[in-house]
Amino acid sequence: EAQVTQNPRYLITVTGKKLTVTCSQNMNHEYMSWYRQDPGLGLRQIYYSMNVEVTDKGDVPEGYKVSRKEKRNFPLILESPSPNQTSLYFCASSQIPPEGGNEQFFGPGTRLTVL
Amino acid sequence: DAKTTQPTSMDCAEGRAANLPCNHSTISGNEYVYWYRQIHSQGPQYIIHGLKNNETNEMASLIITEDRKSSTLILPHATLRDTAVYYCIVTFQFYFGTGTSLTVIP
């Protein structure tokens, strides 16, 4: 089954404790991205990757890092989480970037709480 | 980059067509219009996209005006499972706003 998986699905952590949210897709997609969703603000893009070893900032990249060492994986790293990073996070992938006119597949989401 | 304007909420009777409007008056000539929906806090689900022509798939129809400044998503026979937040997005910014909360009423 074609899918995007994220782990963990739920995470409660404390300020300053480094964490990684994994994202993996099995569709051989070139393009992957991370979004966060907050009440009243919709989904905002954090980082995106056009291909292996190619990443770029989205609209709200501060406090986050990403890496793309393999095509299928695109982990989101919070080096020193803070309470304002409490949010619902989504990973997405597509064969080409949205500008090319194709469907993005979204993962199930990771609900992160930073105390 | 173009952004979109959608009504905050809409209701639709079960079995009737749901028509969800979207304004994108600053869209540029080569930007696509996408529609996604999100049920509760699940990952957004792709519905349909188009550039200039009207499009139809098994889920919905997309009507884009000739000047491309607005579009309408049509769910031909709404069911209770279509209750969701619907997002209209134009490509270059791919910005998900707050969308339209559609409630299908029995």
Side-chain angles (χ1 to χ4, degrees):
Chain A
E1 181 191 354
Q3 60 182 351
V4 177
T5 57
Q6 296 179 226
N7 283 292
R9 296 289 312 281
Y10 302 89
L11 180 61
I12 300 174
T13 188
V14 296
T15 299
K17 185 176 181 182
K18 181 179 178 180
L19 66 92
T20 299
V21 183
T22 65
C23 172
S24 183
Q25 49 93 4
N26 62 1
M27 296 166 279
N28 202 36
H29 284 168
E30 305 269 328
Y31 183 89
M32 297 185 74
S33 60
W34 275 102
Y35 297 84
R36 61 177 290 173
Q37 184 172 30
D38 303 291
L41 296 176
L43 277 81
R44 296 176 292 169
Q45 192 179 55
I46 304 170
Y47 268 94
Y48 64 94
S49 169
M50 303 282 271
N51 210 329
V52 175
E53 302 292 1
V54 181
T55 64
D56 211 342
K57 297 177 181 178
D59 297 318
V60 288
E62 294 77 22
Y64 303 94
K65 287 175 59 176
V66 291
S67 69
R68 187 92 183 272
K69 294 184 170 58
E70 306 164 280
K71 184 182 273 192
R72 65 182 292 127
N73 296 322
F74 190 45
L76 179 70
I77 303 155
L78 285 73
E79 295 269 4
S80 183
S82 62
N84 64 11
Q85 293 178 297
T86 292
S87 188
L88 179 58
Y89 291 86
F90 291 103
C91 180
S93 75
S94 56
Q95 183 53 43
I96 57 176
E99 301 89 279
N102 74 140
E103 171 184 0
Q104 278 204 70
F105 293 80
F106 282 80
T110 295
R111 188 169 293 279
L112 172 66
T113 302
V114 183
L115 301 174
Chain B
D1 291 333
K3 284 197 176 180
T4 61
T5 304
Q6 300 176 250
T8 302
S9 63
M10 294 180 63
D11 293 337
C12 177
E14 188 178 17
R16 306 297 293 266
N19 295 280
L20 290 86
C22 179
N23 288 318
H24 31 78
S25 58
T26 59
I27 192 170
S28 62
N30 49 358
E31 285 190 276
Y32 286 85
V33 178
Y34 284 88
W35 284 84
Y36 283 77
R37 73 180 182 184
Q38 187 176 26
I39 298 172
H40 298 300
S41 296
Q42 297 176 21
Q45 175 191 23
Y46 167 85
I47 301 172
I48 198 167
H49 75 279
L51 186 61
K52 295 180 182 176
N53 300 320
N54 298 337
E55 301 287 345
T56 296
N57 62 22
E58 65 278 4
M59 288 183 69
S61 295
L62 172 60
I63 309 298
I64 302 174
T65 58
E66 193 167 341
D67 63 8
R68 300 203 340 113
K69 292 185 177 182
S70 66
S71 61
T72 300
L73 178 75
I74 301 171
L75 307 178
H77 306 286
T79 71
L80 299 179
R81 287 178 295 179
D82 292 323
T83 293
V85 177
Y86 288 77
Y87 297 97
C88 169
I89 302 150
V90 292
T91 329
F92 292 160
Q93 194 168 39
F94 213 72
Y95 171 74
F96 283 76
T98 50
T100 296
S101 178
L102 174 69
T103 301
V104 180
I105 302 167

